[in-house]
Amino acid sequence: MALWLSSCQTTPAPPPECTLPQTTGVKQAFTHTRKELSRSECHFRFDAYFDRLLDTAAGDPNPQHSEHFSEFLIWANSQDIITRRNAEEYYNRYFNAKFVSLPNEYSNCAYTCRMKDEIVHNMKEELRQKDKGLLKIMANKRAYARANSLHDSILTVLEATCTACATSR
């Protein structure tokens, strides 16, 4: 009986730590992150790893960083860490002038005006992400200017849509 009780009191091994990269080197940060995310118990920290990679890359701007992120996201999808759709969204939020937070129905009166504040908030957040990806990570002023112009144009269309919807009632 004593043996049985003592076996119940053994402490299971602690789960392995899923450590974020501490390096300032972009290549080393990607290598470390892939190694950590290769363990399924670390998948839940994908967003934290991605954020750390973004911060690391922002410390060493380079147009080729978008390729590193693309390859990393394709790898994460192939490892079933994220879906293909998630991979595309992560990439486009940071490295493409196109806005993924904009709903397809943004020129529809019933949907758009009811959700206008949320849409504007989401687009503002995504423009901040594009600032980090396009400008601070890739050092691509032209692409960021295009994204900023698109952002402003969409907000103008959104406002005009809601004004037209309000006057047609």
Side-chain angles (χ1 to χ4, degrees):
M1 178 97 167
L3 182 60
W4 178 74
L5 285 175
S6 68
S7 68
C8 291
Q9 294 175 349
T10 59
T11 308
E17 288 188 39
C18 300
T19 61
L20 297 176
Q22 301 301 317
T23 180
T24 57
V26 176
K27 201 173 201 177
Q28 297 88 342
F30 276 100
T31 300
H32 176 87
T33 298
R34 283 184 188 214
K35 180 182 171 205
E36 292 293 298
L37 286 174
S38 291
R39 300 188 339 247
S40 61
E41 59 270 9
C42 295
H43 290 184
F44 77 99
R45 294 201 67 196
F46 181 83
D47 286 337
Y49 283 106
F50 192 77
D51 287 342
R52 181 62 60 91
L53 290 172
L54 290 167
D55 291 343
T56 302
D60 181 24
N62 186 321
Q64 292 184 337
H65 286 332
S66 68
E67 285 181 43
H68 298 138
F69 279 94
S70 176
E71 290 168 3
F72 171 71
L73 291 167
I74 290 168
W75 172 85
N77 171 248
S78 73
Q79 300 298 306
D80 292 326
I81 299 168
I82 58 173
T83 66
R84 181 174 184 230
R85 183 175 179 195
N86 290 141
E88 289 172 357
E89 187 171 317
Y90 274 107
Y91 185 84
N92 287 329
R93 279 187 173 280
Y94 289 90
F95 303 106
N96 192 331
K98 173 184 156 188
F99 281 81
V100 297
S101 62
L102 184 65
N104 292 334
E105 308 85 8
Y106 82 95
S107 62
N108 175 311
C109 287
Y111 179 82
T112 302
C113 299
R114 187 170 37 91
M115 304 296 290
K116 181 182 169 197
D117 291 341
E118 183 180 341
I119 293 168
V120 169
H121 171 77
N122 292 343
M123 288 196 58
K124 187 175 186 177
E125 174 63 20
E126 188 174 346
L127 184 62
R128 187 189 63 72
Q129 292 166 327
K130 291 180 185 318
D131 173 73
K132 188 170 196 171
L134 294 171
L135 203 53
K136 293 179 178 144
I137 293 174
M138 290 180 54
N140 190 335
K141 292 177 184 176
R142 184 178 297 167
Y144 178 74
R146 199 168 51 247
N148 195 34
S149 176
L150 183 58
H151 172 267
D152 293 347
S153 297
I154 291 169
L155 292 184
T156 300
V157 169
L158 203 56
E159 191 63 40
T161 298
C162 290
T163 300
C165 292
T167 59
S168 69
R169 290 183 186 157

